[in-house]
Amino acid sequence: MLGHERSITQIKYNREGDLLFSVAKDTSGEILKKAKEHTKQINDIQTSVDLTMFISASKDNTAKLFDSTSLDHIKTFKTERPVNSAAISPIMDHVVMGGGQEAMEVTTTSTRIGKFEARFFHAAYEEEFGRVKGHFGPINCVAFHPDGKSYSSGGEDGYVRIHYFDPQYFDFELEA
């Protein structure tokens, strides 16, 4: 089996534990299956709690949901800025995404324009239903707590923020 020639940025196992997905800055590894849905660099890959799906975050301003076995593209979540990280809720049909304007451009932009919010989308309808502010620079990583009652975000500003959901969050239903 061939290895990567450049740095590896992400690795994840499939549900059965017999496949390891890797994202690298090259294409020298042995390719078993291929999905080319993003047009720019992939910054993050995270799996669903049952490992049947994964979500990718990209500099192309999207996060995309895939089937872990077939690599079929299921949904696309679009923003106006690069997406650095995305996660799938373990208990709700929701995804959270973080990103924002590139760090090198932040000093010339206000935090309002930089879009430094965590953004919530309904996983089935691809509709954005909420934003959470708090970082003073791009969000580099997001993760749901395993119990689904909170999420965390880490940003270019050097802070990790833990956000606990209000009880109303769990009653929320997006109108179709």
Side-chain angles (χ1 to χ4, degrees), residues 6-175:
R6 296 187 60 202
S7 66
I8 297 170
T9 58
Q10 291 285 317
I11 57 171
K12 302 289 179 190
Y13 283 98
N14 70 341
R15 183 179 186 166
E16 294 77 23
D18 60 352
L19 288 176
L20 181 66
F21 300 92
S22 63
V23 175
K25 294 181 179 180
D26 70 4
T27 58
S28 64
E30 181 181 354
I31 298 172
L32 301 177
K33 288 186 180 180
K34 185 176 179 179
K36 175 85 169 113
E37 296 292 333
H38 287 289
T39 59
K40 292 185 180 177
Q41 174 182 310
I42 296 172
N43 295 320
D44 187 23
I45 293 178
Q46 294 191 38
T47 59
S48 60
V49 70
D50 64 1
L51 303 176
T52 59
M53 296 181 291
F54 68 89
I55 193 164
S56 58
S58 173
K59 283 189 173 186
D60 68 5
N61 302 353
T62 67
K64 296 183 182 249
L65 194 63
F66 294 88
D67 178 275
S68 292
T69 304
S70 67
L71 299 186
D72 287 342
H73 173 231
I74 301 170
K75 300 286 181 183
T76 298
F77 310 97
K78 299 176 185 176
T79 71
E80 316 79 37
R81 299 280 190 241
V83 182
N84 294 333
S85 185
I88 304 167
S89 171
I91 62 170
M92 304 288 282
D93 288 332
H94 300 164
V95 300
V96 62
M97 299 166 29
Q101 186 174 353
E102 296 286 343
M104 65 183 153
E105 299 171 8
V106 170
T107 56
T108 60
T109 307
S110 76
T111 57
R112 183 180 53 79
I113 297 170
K115 307 284 186 188
F116 309 132
E117 307 118 345
R119 300 173 71 163
F120 286 83
F121 287 78
H122 192 281
Y125 302 122
E126 301 171 294
E127 292 288 330
E128 182 177 355
F129 66 87
R131 294 184 186 194
V132 177
K133 296 180 182 181
H135 286 282
F136 298 102
I139 296 172
N140 292 333
C141 49
V142 293
F144 279 98
H145 187 279
D147 69 9
K149 296 180 180 177
S150 64
Y151 81 96
S152 298
S153 58
E156 195 73 24
D157 58 8
Y159 289 97
V160 173
R161 300 187 182 280
I162 302 170
H163 307 268
Y164 294 92
F165 295 118
D166 293 332
Q168 297 88 345
Y169 170 80
F170 303 102
D171 298 328
F172 175 77
E173 291 185 27
L174 191 65
E175 294 181 18

